[in-house]
Amino acid sequence: MIKNLKLISVVSFIFITSCGYQPIFVSKNFNFQIDKISTAGDEKINRIILRTLENLKKQNNADKKYSLEINTSYNKIISSKDTKGNPKTFRIEITSKVLINKNNKLKLTKNFIAKANYNNTSSKFKLKKYEENLKNNLTSKITEDIIIYLQGI
């Protein structure tokens, strides 16, 4: 029984390590380069997006070169209220409209949206920290979606 378990473990390890699987963001070689990025909208969201996309400006051997215009917005909406009229749940929605230019000509326009629902808490400090963390995570997701989209065009 133990020999079979060891054999299965070794065979599984060999298959997993030799299958060639590699996450997208581990390799730093993308088939595109970003020449210029201009932003408008929510400054905090734009800083998070710019911090990640700045690394793509350094690609030297890229086949495609793009200029991006990014317009972001952030909305916090009360989803539901309790019987007294106090907020019970909220929804955060981050929208990013990306204009992709190639050779100074508008090539594509794409909207990226990330949203999440969460419950209200009695501690406003914890609620604010949770909202900031959620905002950062949703912005990172949008940034990953932008990179994946640029990889595919």
Side-chain angles (χ1 to χ4, degrees), residues 7-145:
L7 180 64
I8 291 172
S9 299
V10 170
V11 171
S12 298
F13 178 75
I14 291 172
F15 279 118
I16 290 173
T17 57
S18 64
C19 72
Y21 170 77
Q22 186 176 10
I24 292 174
F25 298 111
V26 169
S27 70
K28 299 293 182 186
N29 298 325
F30 295 102
N31 65 349
F32 65 92
Q33 176 182 356
I34 298 175
D35 286 335
K36 182 180 136 186
I37 305 170
S38 61
T39 59
D42 190 282
E43 290 183 27
K44 187 167 187 174
I45 293 172
N46 289 339
R47 267 187 274 137
I48 295 169
I49 292 173
L50 283 174
R51 185 177 29 203
T52 305
L53 294 180
E54 284 293 325
N55 295 332
L56 299 176
K57 282 185 157 186
K58 301 171 186 171
Q59 297 287 328
N60 293 329
N61 56 354
D63 299 336
K64 306 169 201 165
K65 295 184 181 184
Y66 300 116
S67 295
L68 302 179
E69 296 176 29
I70 302 172
N71 189 357
T72 57
S73 64
Y74 166 77
N75 292 321
K76 178 181 171 184
I77 304 163
I78 298 173
S79 299
S80 65
K81 295 182 180 184
D82 62 9
T83 56
K84 296 179 183 178
N86 298 323
K88 186 176 178 183
T89 60
F90 296 101
R91 180 176 54 231
I92 286 183
E93 184 174 295
I94 297 175
T95 306
S96 179
K97 181 178 182 180
V98 180
L99 303 173
I100 304 165
N101 299 309
K102 185 175 182 180
N103 300 327
N104 295 326
K105 294 180 184 174
L106 181 63
K107 182 173 180 168
L108 291 169
T109 301
K110 177 77 173 164
N111 289 326
F112 297 94
I113 300 171
K115 49 187 158 185
N117 294 323
Y118 60 97
N119 294 326
N120 195 4
T121 62
S122 58
S123 172
K124 298 305 173 194
F125 177 75
K126 287 181 182 178
L127 182 65
K128 186 71 173 169
K129 287 291 184 188
Y130 184 74
E131 286 173 357
E132 288 298 318
N133 189 23
L134 197 56
K135 188 176 181 180
N136 291 340
N137 291 341
L138 292 175
T139 304
S140 295
K141 182 190 177 316
I142 285 179
T143 306
E144 290 173 5
D145 290 345

